[in-house]
Amino acid sequence: MTADQLEQAHAADLAIQQEEGVHFQQSWADPESGTLYCLSEAPSAEAVQRIHERTGHVADEIHAVPLSAR
């Protein structure tokens, strides 16, 4: 994955995120391994996956993080 491809994938998610109540905050990629990470807030892991499915980059794993501190 190139930096341009990462930007395009993230932009595709942002374009439709509101349809599932998701807020994608940031994405990172490791071009050597092909691993992509994204940080989002969402009502469920399924909502995140539906956005990723629609934009053509299905997540292999989604991890909920139920606790946070600011």
Side-chain angles (χ1 to χ4, degrees):
M1 172 170 279
T2 66
D4 188 50
Q5 290 170 320
L6 175 61
E7 287 293 330
Q8 289 176 13
H10 187 62
D13 290 338
L14 294 177
I16 63 170
Q17 67 182 352
Q18 74 283 353
E19 295 175 21
E20 293 284 348
V22 177
H23 174 66
F24 289 99
Q25 297 179 16
Q26 188 163 349
S27 295
W28 302 267
D30 177 355
E32 288 190 27
S33 69
T35 304
L36 173 68
Y37 300 92
C38 69
L39 176 63
S40 62
E41 292 184 65
S44 67
E46 293 80 17
V48 173
Q49 189 68 289
R50 284 191 295 270
I51 295 294
H52 285 319
E53 287 171 356
R54 291 177 54 199
T55 57
H57 45 274
V58 177
D60 293 333
E61 299 177 42
I62 298 176
H63 299 273
V65 182
L67 299 176
S68 67
R70 294 184 189 237

